[in-house]
Amino acid sequence: GAVVSQHPSRVICKSGTSVKIECRSLDFQATTMFWYRQFPKQSLMLMATSNEGSKATYEQGVEKDKFLINHASLTLSTLTVTSAHPEDSSFYICSARDLPDSEQFFGPGTRLTVL
Amino acid sequence: EDQVTQSPEALRLQEGESSSLNCSYTVSGLRGLFWYRQDPGKGPEFLFTLYSAGEEKEKERLKATLTKKESFLHITAPKPEDSATYLCAVLSTSGTYKYIFGTGTRLKVLA
């Protein structure tokens, strides 16, 4: 099956610093990647959609200057949380798909804790 | 407005006690319906894709079915390792290729 990796799996940072999370599709070309945020015992909340070579499309209420997304290749997307604050602490999950109607494959997630 | 509802919210089963999870959807048009399993602290794991009413997919103890209004995930003779949250997601023909997620069903299978 299709495999999506995320790195790091856990990160702890101080308030005010920036954190970068990588998402890679290991065995297929991901024309579209998604970034989600998940709070405890809740479903996934879509933050943004990125297509390779294009600017990301952010969901309403998501600050694009705070959550920088880059999808520079068909196998790599990055999410940078800039000037992180404790309220940014969460579980961040990426997903990838190759065709518009096809299933998304999810990464294992990144647990971000901001002190 | 496109909407996806899952029921029950939580389910406890004895090992071997078969049951079904429901995913009801109201969308302008269905492109596809997707089932995932999510374990605590992990990303969702893909299970099935269904595209048209009448379609069925099976994998081990799981079977997914689709009608024009809902999908069922049948679990036959579950084992404790089937305990997880099961998520349903829908792709609508509304023009955006984003998932509409249900809130999930938390399944606990007791030994």
Side-chain angles (χ1 to χ4, degrees), chain A residues 98-109:
Chain A
D98 52 1
L99 300 173
D101 287 357
S102 66
E103 53 274 351
Q104 295 178 27
F105 294 95
F106 288 85

Side-chain angles (χ1 to χ4, degrees), chain A residues 34 36 38 41 43-44 46 49 59 91 93 97 100-109 111, chain B residues 31-32 34 36 38 41-46 49 51 87 91 97-99 101-104 106:
Chain A
F34 302 86
Y36 295 86
Q38 188 173 35
K41 296 191 176 180
S43 194
L44 287 77
L46 180 65
T49 302
E59 294 300 298
F91 191 51
I93 310 174
R97 68 168 185 218
D101 287 357
S102 66
E103 53 274 351
Q104 295 178 27
F105 294 95
F106 288 85
R111 173 75 57 192
Chain B
R31 287 192 186 280
F34 309 85
Y36 291 85
Q38 186 176 25
K42 296 187 178 181
E45 174 190 344
F46 171 71
T49 302
Y51 287 114
L87 297 169
L91 267 183
Y97 286 87
K98 303 180 293 189
Y99 275 172
F101 275 102
T103 51
R106 294 192 306 278

